[in-house]
Structure formats: C-alpha cells, structure tokens
Amino acid sequence: MRTLNLTSQRQAVYDVVREAHDHPTAADVMNRLMERGYNLAYGTVYNSLRYLTDKELIRELKLGEAASRYDGRMDDHQHIICQVCGRVDEVMSEVPHDWIDTVAHETGYNIAHAHVVFGGVCKECQSKRIR
C-alpha cells in the first residue's frame, strides 16, 4: 500500500485535474485554481502535479507538444489530438492484442502497457474548413 501525503494544495490540484474533461496543462490547472480562489505559486502546482503523477493518481501526457497535459482518468484508454487546434479527447478502444504481440516480436520487449496517440482533425475544425 502506498502512503499518500495529500496536502490541501495537492488535493486542490488533484480535484482540478480529476474534474477536467480537456486534459489541462499546468498553466490551465493554475488558472482554474485561481478561478476557485486559490493563490498557489507555480512551483507548488508543478510539484503537486509531479507528486500526483508519481503516486499514480493522475497521468502525465506528453503528446508532442511543448507542455505536458494531465489526465485524471487512470483506466486504460488512448488519446486523439486535433492537429489543427490541439484539442485532446479520449479513445476508449483497446489497443489490439495482435499489435502488442507484433511489437513485442519485432523489438524483443516484454510489453507492460501500450498508449496509442491518434492524430486527426476534430469535428469543429473540419466544419471551419468547409465554410
């Protein structure tokens, strides 16, 4: 069993990430905390995000962008990112087992988990292109 030290600041950061549906960046988390009346230093927010990630309460997503995004859903799922606006959505489809087997065979790795990031254009950006 892991020991948790959820200070009030960490709990506030955790609540913001867990309640978010858009995979916020650290700056987004900071802004949402300020909207809720918190006055935390950037260092506190970054350290809290690192702590929560290390304790596997949230997931850090590195999606090829400059800034990491954070996900409060810890169940197994994938992500898709809009290549126009940067929107990130969840994909609940499982990674096919034959993909995992093929990658394991090609690389010799014993694969512990898989995370696939799809790229495309979201519906909003598609509709803007049509106009």
Side-chain angles (χ1 to χ4, degrees):
M1 188 168 115
R2 60 183 172 218
T3 303
L4 293 178
N5 180 15
L6 281 185
T7 62
S8 59
Q9 294 93 341
R10 288 176 180 161
Q11 183 67 53
V13 170
Y14 179 55
D15 290 344
V16 167
V17 173
R18 194 184 58 211
E19 294 166 9
H21 298 288
D22 62 347
H23 307 86
T25 64
D28 295 332
V29 171
M30 185 74 178
N31 290 335
R32 293 172 194 182
L33 287 166
M34 289 180 356
E35 289 170 2
R36 294 180 181 195
Y38 290 93
N39 187 17
L40 303 180
Y42 275 105
T44 301
V45 172
Y46 282 106
N47 290 338
S48 296
L49 289 167
R50 174 63 37 224
Y51 177 86
L52 295 167
T53 300
D54 289 347
K55 293 296 183 180
E56 298 179 350
L57 294 173
I58 63 173
R59 183 178 298 161
E60 180 179 14
L61 304 175
K62 296 182 182 193
L63 303 173
E65 302 173 315
S68 293
R69 292 176 173 262
Y70 295 90
D71 190 352
R73 289 190 67 164
M74 295 303 291
D75 57 340
D76 208 13
H77 64 281
Q78 315 315 310
H79 292 91
I80 188 165
I81 184 166
C82 178
Q83 295 169 310
V84 176
C85 70
R87 173 183 170 149
V88 178
D89 286 306
E90 292 168 338
V91 177
M92 301 315 293
S93 301
E94 288 185 31
V95 175
H97 292 286
D98 59 333
W99 285 14
I100 295 171
D101 294 342
T102 300
V103 171
H105 179 73
E106 286 179 10
T107 64
Y109 276 63
N110 180 7
I111 298 175
H113 65 53
H115 180 232
V116 177
V117 178
F118 296 92
V121 180
C122 70
K123 288 181 182 181
E124 284 186 29
C125 290
Q126 289 175 46
S127 67
K128 289 177 187 173
R129 286 183 173 179
I130 295 172
R131 293 179 187 163

